[in-house]
């Protein structure tokens, strides 16, 4: 295990800095790669930010990042690694490189991690704590597989005209997790959600039968169109909060809490 303050990889183009040998863990404040290639040890912990400009960055097993991740032209080779964003403040994943593909991507922060570009995920996408704000960008898999997880207490925000990240075979949304459709007009994926909310603007349309185990909140300035779907509200108390507009279309809404629930006073098609 070794620790440094700031590390800059500035080797001659095409040459390699390899942290091999007995070094299995490296901790740095900020990591910058301007030229040359870098192979990380099994565990790389960056207490600040990562800035990649050129060359090839080859991951080990685990990369922990407490600050921003900016890739402006390097090739990131993720292998089967997990990159975890675990800062105590706001973090951003951005950059101008042609593509940015992670293998496993995990959000375990106490604040918000925001996408400033489209990214790809080859393995699993996990929001364990904090908020992952996709903005108008995407975090899709290119092929079917892997697991999308939003743990209890964590939040996934989806902006633009986008829907839930695509091509994840398994979706695990904790009973106290929140998925927020925060963009313009959006298609709301038919899933079993913990809490589900809308914000931003436009009409959010249910694209499949949907179950909400917590609270469904229709945000101010938005319309939730239930379309032809079955909407199951399984939460107790007041599981449907409408600050915007609820459009029932030809849907069926069912309140199913075993401990009782208040039926919200809006128009329904079938109830």
């Amino acid at each position: 295990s070794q620790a440094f303050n700031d590390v800059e990889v500035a080797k001659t183009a095409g040459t390699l800095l390899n942290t091999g040998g007995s070094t299995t863990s490296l901790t740095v404040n900020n990591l910058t790669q301007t030229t040359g290639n870098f192979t990380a040890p099994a565990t790389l912990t960056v207490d600040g930010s990562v800035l990649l400009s050129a060359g090839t960055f080859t991951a080990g097993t685990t990369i922990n990042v407490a600050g921003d991740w900016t890739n402006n032209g390097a090739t990131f080779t993720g292998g089967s690694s997990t990159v975890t964003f675990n800062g105590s403040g706001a973090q951003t994943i951005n950059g101008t490189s042609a593509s940015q593909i992670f293998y496993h991507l995990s959000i375990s922060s106490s604040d918000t991690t925001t996408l400033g570009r489209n990214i790809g995920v080859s393995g699993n996408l996990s929001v364990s704590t904090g908020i992952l704000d996709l903005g108008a960008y995407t975090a899709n898999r290119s092929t079917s597989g892997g697991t999308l997880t939003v743990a209890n207490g964590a939040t996934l925000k989806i902006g633009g005209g986008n829907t839930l990240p695509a091509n994840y075979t398994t979706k695990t949304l904790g009973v106290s997790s929140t998925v927020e459709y925060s963009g313009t007009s959006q298609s709301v994926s038919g899933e079993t959600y913990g809490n589900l909310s809308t914000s931003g603007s436009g009409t959010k349309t249910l694209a499949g039968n949907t179950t909400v185990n917590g609270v469904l909140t229709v945000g101010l300035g938005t319309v939730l169109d239930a379309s032809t779907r079955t909407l199951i509200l399984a939460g107790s108390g007041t599981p449907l909060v409408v600050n915007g507009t609820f459009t029932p279309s030809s849907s069926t809404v069912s309140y199913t809490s075993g401990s009782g629930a208040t039926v919200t006073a809006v128009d329904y098609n079938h109830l």
Side-chain angles (χ1 to χ4, degrees):
S1 177
Q2 296 194 51
F4 297 91
N5 186 25
D6 293 341
V7 170
E8 180 177 356
V9 180
K11 303 252 319 160
T12 302
T15 60
L16 174 66
L17 173 61
N18 189 341
T19 55
S22 61
T23 301
T24 60
S25 177
L26 175 64
T27 300
V28 303
N29 186 28
N30 296 297
L31 176 65
T32 302
Q33 182 173 333
T34 55
T35 55
N37 303 325
F38 175 61
T39 297
T43 301
L44 172 64
T45 298
V46 182
D47 292 332
S49 294
V50 175
L51 173 60
L52 309 177
S53 299
T56 297
F57 182 117
T58 301
T61 302
T62 301
I63 300 175
N64 301 307
V65 181
D68 296 336
W69 178 287
T70 304
N71 187 343
N72 287 331
T75 298
F76 176 71
T77 303
S80 57
S81 66
T82 299
V83 178
T84 299
F85 288 83
N86 59 358
S88 58
Q91 296 177 261
T92 302
I93 304 171
N94 57 20
T96 59
S97 65
S99 68
Q100 178 61 77
I101 300 175
F102 297 95
Y103 190 71
H104 297 313
L105 177 62
S106 177
I107 308 301
S108 297
S109 72
S110 54
D111 207 307
T112 300
T113 302
T114 302
L115 293 193
R117 57 163 301 150
N118 292 330
I119 63 170
V121 177
S122 300
N124 303 324
L125 173 60
S126 303
V127 188
S128 300
T129 59
I131 300 169
L132 173 58
D133 186 352
L134 301 180
Y137 301 101
T138 59
N140 298 332
R141 285 178 52 99
S142 60
T143 59
S144 181
T147 299
L148 169 64
T149 301
V150 185
N152 288 331
T155 297
L156 174 64
K157 293 182 67 174
I158 305 165
N162 298 321
T163 188
L164 208 66
N167 293 324
Y168 293 89
T169 301
T170 303
K171 295 149 192 171
T172 303
L173 307 176
V175 294
S176 63
S177 69
T178 299
V179 176
E180 179 179 346
Y181 288 81
S182 59
T184 53
S185 294
Q186 293 173 276
S187 177
V188 177
S189 182
E191 310 291 343
T192 297
Y193 294 92
N195 299 300
L196 175 63
S197 64
T198 66
S199 63
S201 63
T203 298
K204 326 293 184 176
T205 303
L206 294 187
N209 296 335
T210 299
T211 297
V212 181
N213 285 316
V215 177
L216 169 57
T217 303
V218 183
L220 186 68
T222 69
V223 177
L224 178 64
D225 186 346
S227 185
T228 62
R229 311 303 180 181
T230 296
L231 173 60
I232 297 174
L233 301 172
S236 58
T238 305
L240 175 61
V241 176
V242 180
N243 298 315
T245 302
F246 177 75
T247 301
S249 294
S250 55
S251 66
T252 298
V253 177
S254 297
Y255 288 79
T256 63
S257 173
S259 57
T262 300
V263 176
T264 300
V266 293
D267 290 335
Y268 299 92
N269 181 48
H270 297 302
L271 178 63

